């Protein structure tokens, strides 16, 4: 059995501030340890149930948060930025399941620590077929394309609620209770890791009953930006249609192409953020 882990950082127990999860800050090394322990807890649970191959895609910020030698399960680690498939780089149809570890709530969510949707400096809201979504549902487009089920998701309550529609049967592990955008009550990291280990083991045991995410095609992915200039500047990308002053829509039958278009939009708007 082969598992794909897409790891973010904001949804790890103990994390409430950007300084803990961005390189160059004194608190970053502590954050990094918390993240590594949670990732290893998921690997351990899966190892207990016989999974023998792991690919981890470090998907946060510069994407060099995990150290290869510290990972259990002889996992292959994908690091570094400007990956064509961003948070889903490395996935293909050879995998049996996907785990989203340390994920967080969407930018508009209430009581969601470090909430954002890809780029907090540019993106105000994302909707798929009319529903407001977070990163889990956007990334699920790639899972649906390759027909791989999402079997585990961890973060705060908002994170797991937002994943309910695309992964109703997945194991959901809540490791902290968000009090606001920069405050949370944390499950003790040791307990959180025990929960993740158990969640991963349960997920692997029930993998045959889990289904890949389902989207009604063609999928319309709408992005509302902070300002109208951002919508205007992405109009040069083929297939981008403007539907409001600050809103564009991408439509595609092919979910991989749709995700790639979204990644292109995200990459371009990084250059348009106010400074
Ligand atoms: Zn992140």
């Amino acid at each position: 059995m082969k598992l794909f882990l897409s790891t973010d950082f904001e949804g790890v127990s103990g994390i409430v501030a950007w300084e803990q999860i961005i390189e160059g800050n004194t608190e970053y090394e502590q954050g990094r340890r918390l993240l590594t322990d949670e990732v290893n807890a998921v690997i351990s649970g899966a190892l207990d149930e016989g999974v023998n191959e792991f690919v981890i895609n470090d998907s946060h910020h510069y994407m060099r948060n995990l150290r290869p030698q510290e990972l259990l399960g002889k996992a292959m680690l994908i690091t570094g930025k400007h990956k064509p498939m961003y948070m889903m780089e490395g996935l293909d149809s050879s995998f049996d399941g996907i785990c989203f570890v340390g994920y967080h709530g969407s930018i508009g969510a209430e009581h969601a620590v470090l909430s954002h949707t890809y780029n907090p400096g540019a993106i105000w809201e994302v909707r798929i077929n009319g529903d407001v979504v977070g990163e889990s549902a956007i990334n699920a487009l790639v899972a649906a394309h390759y027909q791989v089920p999402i079997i585990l998701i961890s973060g705060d309550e908002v994170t797991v609620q937002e994943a309910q529609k695309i992964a109703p049967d997945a194991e959901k592990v809540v490791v902290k209770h968000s009090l606001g955008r920069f405050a949370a009550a944390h499950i003790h990291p040791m307990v959180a890791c025990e929960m993740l280990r158990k969640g991963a083991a349960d997920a692997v045991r029930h993998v045959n009953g889990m289904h890949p995410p389902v989207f009604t095609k063609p999928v319309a992915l709408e992005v509302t930006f902070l300002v109208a200039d951002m919508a205007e500047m992405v109009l040069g990308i083929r297939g981008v249609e403007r539907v409001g002053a600050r809103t564009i829509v991408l439509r595609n039958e092919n979910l991989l192409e749709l995700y790639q278009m979204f990644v292109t939009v995200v990459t371009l708007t990084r250059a348009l953020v106010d400074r």
Side-chain angles (χ1 to χ4, degrees):
M1 266 191 81
K2 192 175 171 185
L3 281 195
F4 179 81
L5 277 70
S6 170
T7 64
D8 209 343
F9 208 152
E10 292 83 351
V12 168
S13 174
I15 300 298
V16 290
W18 302 118
E19 289 79 5
Q20 295 174 287
I21 60 174
I22 292 179
E23 287 157 0
N25 294 292
T26 47
E27 289 178 87
Y28 175 68
E29 286 305 320
Q30 154 72 354
R32 217 172 176 187
R33 278 203 295 278
L34 293 168
L35 170 68
T36 305
D37 287 350
E38 289 202 3
V39 172
N40 276 335
V42 171
I43 296 175
S44 298
L47 281 170
D48 290 346
E49 293 300 320
V51 173
N52 51 14
E53 202 176 339
F54 298 89
V55 174
I56 321 289
N57 179 18
D58 188 331
S59 305
H60 171 79
H61 203 245
Y62 293 132
M63 308 188 185
R64 298 193 311 265
N65 306 289
L66 295 165
R67 295 184 176 96
Q69 74 276 16
E70 290 174 356
L71 294 177
L72 300 177
K74 296 182 178 152
M76 173 184 279
L77 178 61
I78 301 173
T79 67
K81 61 189 243 178
H82 305 315
K83 300 165 187 161
M85 297 305 291
Y86 214 118
M87 298 184 82
M88 298 304 276
E89 183 68 39
L91 185 71
D92 61 29
S93 54
S94 68
F95 288 86
D96 297 287
I98 298 167
C99 303
F100 289 160
V101 183
Y103 268 44
H104 54 80
S106 65
I107 180 81
E110 207 177 346
H111 301 143
V113 152
L114 300 172
S115 64
H116 63 282
T117 307
Y118 272 83
N119 183 357
I123 296 177
W124 175 263
E125 188 166 89
V126 176
R127 288 173 298 281
I128 292 181
N129 290 341
D131 295 330
V132 175
V133 293
E135 292 177 1
S136 59
I138 298 169
N139 298 347
L141 294 168
V142 183
H145 174 83
Y146 287 119
Q147 288 291 290
V148 184
I150 296 157
I151 67 168
L152 177 137
I153 177 148
S154 74
D156 63 2
E157 282 105 337
V158 171
T159 310
V160 305
Q161 279 160 18
E162 288 182 343
Q164 188 56 26
K165 197 166 173 184
I166 46 113
D169 304 319
E171 284 293 324
K172 316 282 193 329
V173 184
V174 174
V175 298
K176 63 183 168 194
H177 306 286
S178 293
L179 304 170
R181 198 151 184 259
F182 300 107
H186 307 278
I187 308 277
H188 190 282
M190 266 166 63
V191 179
C193 286
E194 281 166 23
M195 290 161 59
L196 286 163
R197 184 173 181 153
K198 182 182 181 302
D202 289 346
V204 170
R205 222 176 294 120
H206 299 125
V207 72
N208 289 333
M210 298 198 201
H211 307 286
V214 177
F215 293 96
T216 308
K217 293 181 191 177
V219 175
L221 193 155
E222 264 183 295
V223 182
T224 299
F225 297 103
L226 264 59
V227 295
D229 285 18
M230 293 172 177
E232 179 134 356
M233 290 304 287
V234 299
L235 284 178
I237 301 171
R238 191 168 55 237
V240 173
E241 187 190 329
R242 194 170 186 181
V243 291
R246 294 185 295 136
T247 305
I248 56 120
V249 64
L250 314 170
R251 295 179 214 275
N252 209 315
E253 290 272 347
N254 182 313
L255 303 184
L256 196 66
E257 281 179 20
L258 183 65
Y259 182 77
Q260 283 172 326
M261 287 168 80
F262 175 73
V263 168
T264 305
V265 165
V266 168
T267 305
L268 177 61
T269 51
R270 288 220 181 272
L272 305 175
V273 171
D274 289 359
R275 286 264 179 249

